[in-house]
Amino acid sequence: MTSLPTAEDLSRRAREAAERCGVDLAASAGDRPVTSPVNGEVLISVRWQSRSDADAAVRKATEAFGEWRTVPAPVRGALVRRLGELLREHKEDLATLVSLEVGKITSEALGEVQEMIDICEFAVGLSRQLYGRTIASERPGHRLSESYHPLGVVGVISAFNFPVAVWSWNTAIALVCGDPVVWKPSELAPLSALASAALLDRAIAETGAPANLSQVVIGGADVGEALVGNRGIALLSATGSTRMGRAVGPRVADRFGRSLLELGGNNAAVVTPSADLDLATRGIVFSAAGTAGQRCTTLRRVIAHESVIASLLDRVASAYRSLPIGSPLDAGTLVGPLISDSAYKSMQDALLAARQQGGEIIAGGSRRLAEAAPGAFYVEPAIVRMTEQTDIVRQETFAPILFVLPYSTIDQAIALNNDVPQGLSSSIFTSDLGEAERFLGPDGSDCGIANVNIGTSGAEIGGAFGGEKETGGGRESGSDAWRAYMRRATNTINFSGALPLAQGVKFDI
Ligand code: NAD
């Protein structure tokens, strides 16, 4: 049986890693316990900040904006380059904190920090490519163009399951775009946040950038709400549940602020008769059971052709039975713990509802290691065979439950893929080019991410990341997602000496 580390051991590792990143543990100490999902015991206690601390952080960041927006973008890039170097140097420290606070296995925690390094590199390049356009003017002696300018303070609210990468996607891009950042991290991962912020503070000090460019406010939903309502936040980038987005979106819209919402997903993979079932099995198992089912892009539904469903189910179920479940810090573990008892309860409730709605549990669902650590929630990832897409399948349950549904025509498969309120990620496993293109086309998957022959999770930073419908419509990270972080101006320059009006309008005086 896997043994779990002691509370003292985890606490020591957390303190040492945080201190190496530059966290002042005495200054951040307080009465709010941070529980490690690894053993269910208290890791450390931190001080939560208040709404007025959040307002003060926005004021400081606004002052920094006055200076930062006039710094040339490639010079702003030098700050992000330094941040990337420091992240590389402290990759293991940050990954340790991520594992301890949210239970990611070491390889995935290192991958999360690598994603931070990657987005820094992307943003440094971008700092020389914030291109506007020159547009053909209809008037002689006129030049029409678009320019992009810093927008203002960016507020970032992040979820527990990507406790640091999501901040970096926003922050690296915001900084090169000329925007300071105020961050409200998940209350479940304050040390990872303080460590990331300490590394950025160091980069700021070393490159001579304004001291208040980066602010982090540790606290609960009330601190997030303070950012949501603060008119000093020009762009509010909020990642979390659809419930949170439903509270945040209208409030930001009400003050005519900009929001970028990255919310829940309910991602499906279609497995067609021509699919390579070995490849599909590997893609499915990583996407569905990896991160213990706690990614926004986790595969939650397999829609398999009736001719392959039995064989696919056999393969996936057999892979599930051999998944190593245990401490995320142990080499070889592939499935770590759920974040909390409430995540475990929502998984059990969903399994019960699935049974009541006609589902048959094919594998998993039971708790593991409960005796070794009563406060930690390790589970066997579950597979549930359904005959139709019932209410419980259409909800996002943030735990490793994979629903498997049959289909007979590709139209039916695409309709099932799209018939959920969320629209984040999707994929098709096929060797049929026509089916693949159909899935990616205008009447195919309605998701922000549509893949062929890979699973639904594990996106690269180079593409714009986000989804449609109840996933919120936001796009972060690569491609041209940077435009959301800038103010666009259309400029008309008249060098003709005359004053011709557009559309041939005459207004002679
Ligand atoms: P959550 O919604 O409980 O919390 C997310 C963050 O929002 C936390 O920092 C929390 O304090 C804050 N918050 C909660 N209510 C708020 C309010 N009313 N106003 C302002 N802030 C508020 O989510 P979670 O449990 O931490 O994360 C899991 C969820 O996040 C899942 O639904 C997952 O799909 C989603 N997620 C989405 C993406 C994406 O990119 N689409 C990425 C990661 C996670």
Side-chain angles (χ1 to χ4, degrees):
M1 194 177 77
T2 318
S3 64
L4 295 174
T6 62
E8 297 69 37
D9 180 26
L10 292 193
S11 182
R12 179 188 49 76
R13 287 204 229 180
R15 284 170 181 282
E16 287 175 1
E19 276 173 345
R20 279 194 296 269
C21 291
V23 178
D24 180 347
L25 286 173
S28 60
D31 60 0
R32 293 285 185 157
V34 181
T35 301
S36 175
V38 176
N39 61 359
E41 300 205 39
V42 174
L43 203 53
I44 198 164
S45 290
V46 297
R47 185 170 60 85
W48 273 20
Q49 290 167 275
S50 64
R51 282 173 173 267
S52 59
D53 290 323
D55 291 338
V58 177
R59 278 196 299 278
K60 284 190 200 166
T62 305
E63 276 171 35
F65 178 58
E67 196 184 328
W68 190 238
R69 66 181 161 184
T70 60
V71 172
V75 178
R76 299 194 296 244
L79 165 62
V80 176
R81 184 184 310 116
R82 184 66 191 129
L83 172 62
E85 285 166 2
L86 290 172
L87 287 169
R88 199 170 251 123
E89 228 173 87
H90 291 279
K91 185 172 174 180
E92 286 189 8
D93 292 328
L94 261 188
T96 298
L97 292 171
V98 168
S99 290
L100 296 180
E101 287 192 315
V102 308
K104 277 194 188 182
I105 62 168
T106 301
S107 161
E108 290 192 54
L110 287 167
E112 172 154 3
V113 185
Q114 184 58 45
E115 204 168 321
M116 302 172 85
I117 296 165
D118 293 346
I119 195 71
C120 286
E121 289 182 357
F122 180 91
V124 173
L126 182 66
S127 71
R128 292 182 183 269
Q129 300 176 74
L130 299 169
Y131 299 136
R133 287 192 179 95
T134 299
I135 300 150
S137 170
E138 66 189 55
R139 287 172 280 188
H142 283 60
R143 185 165 67 78
L144 187 57
S145 65
E146 278 179 349
S147 49
Y148 285 87
H149 304 285
L151 181 69
V153 179
V154 173
V156 177
I157 295 176
S158 56
F160 82 84
N161 65 323
F162 274 93
V164 287
V166 165
W167 166 76
S168 72
W169 294 353
N170 284 282
T171 300
I173 303 293
L175 288 175
V176 298
C177 289
D179 306 328
V181 174
V182 180
W183 182 19
K184 204 304 270 180
S186 168
E187 48 273 57
L188 303 179
L191 276 187
S192 305
L194 288 167
S196 305
L199 292 175
L200 176 53
D201 282 347
R202 191 172 143 198
I204 287 171
E206 286 178 8
T207 56
N212 291 325
L213 269 185
S214 158
Q215 304 284 321
V216 58
V217 193
I218 302 296
D222 61 322
V223 169
E225 282 166 11
L227 297 185
V228 171
N230 194 314
R231 288 176 184 276
I233 299 281
L235 169 67
L236 196 277
S237 173
T239 300
S241 58
T242 295
R243 179 187 45 75
M244 179 275 284
R246 204 166 263 130
V248 164
R251 282 196 66 208
V252 178
D254 190 53
R255 61 174 175 82
F256 295 97
R258 240 186 238 185
S259 63
L260 199 165
L261 300 176
E262 295 285 0
L263 311 174
N266 190 351
N267 318 295
V270 174
V271 182
T272 72
S274 64
D276 172 339
L277 292 187
D278 281 340
L279 187 90
T281 300
R282 277 186 279 136
I284 287 168
V285 175
F286 169 66
S287 284
T291 331
Q294 300 170 110
R295 286 194 189 210
C296 50
T297 50
T298 287
L299 179 64
R300 308 206 177 275
R301 299 175 293 142
V302 164
I303 301 164
H305 191 265
E306 52 202 16
S307 65
V308 295
I309 191 165
S311 160
L312 181 74
L313 260 174
D314 278 353
R315 291 166 195 243
V316 176
S318 134
Y320 263 48
R321 288 189 194 101
S322 63
L323 280 172
I325 301 169
S327 168
L329 306 166
D330 288 351
T333 296
L334 292 181
V335 180
L338 292 178
I339 187 71
S340 62
D341 55 347
S342 67
Y344 174 70
K345 183 171 183 315
S346 69
M347 180 175 179
Q348 297 309 311
D349 289 349
L351 289 173
L352 179 63
R355 274 197 299 267
Q356 287 164 348
Q357 293 170 25
E360 180 197 350
I361 298 181
I362 305 288
S366 305
R367 195 167 163 198
R368 292 266 193 97
L369 295 165
E371 278 181 24
F377 293 86
Y378 290 83
V379 284
E380 295 166 0
I383 304 173
V384 185
R385 185 171 178 156
M386 304 295 293
T387 47
E388 54 184 332
Q389 189 149 269
T390 61
D391 287 351
I392 193 64
V393 182
R394 297 176 76 253
Q395 289 170 24
E396 181 197 51
T397 301
F398 215 56
I401 302 178
L402 180 64
F403 293 109
V404 182
L405 295 148
Y407 81 88
S408 55
T409 65
I410 187 73
D411 285 342
Q412 218 183 7
I414 291 172
L416 282 168
N417 178 75
N418 295 347
D419 183 26
V420 290
Q422 313 80 357
L424 181 51
S425 187
S426 58
S427 71
I428 188 167
F429 286 90
T430 184
S431 303
D432 179 327
L433 184 62
E435 280 181 341
E437 289 291 341
R438 170 78 203 287
F439 189 75
L440 303 183
D443 59 350
S445 164
D446 64 2
C447 295
I449 298 170
N451 297 332
V452 177
N453 290 335
I454 62 165
T456 52
S457 63
E460 299 180 18
I461 58 93
F465 181 89
E468 303 301 332
K469 304 192 290 187
E470 288 191 4
T471 303
R475 291 296 183 278
E476 280 175 359
S477 186
S479 184
D480 67 348
W482 61 271
R483 290 178 203 272
Y485 300 74
M486 299 204 85
R487 169 174 66 80
R488 181 202 301 233
T490 301
N491 313 121
T492 308
I493 298 135
N494 174 10
F495 55 95
S496 70
L499 200 67
L501 300 178
Q503 296 91 39
V505 171
K506 297 287 176 218
F507 200 87
D508 294 329
I509 50 170

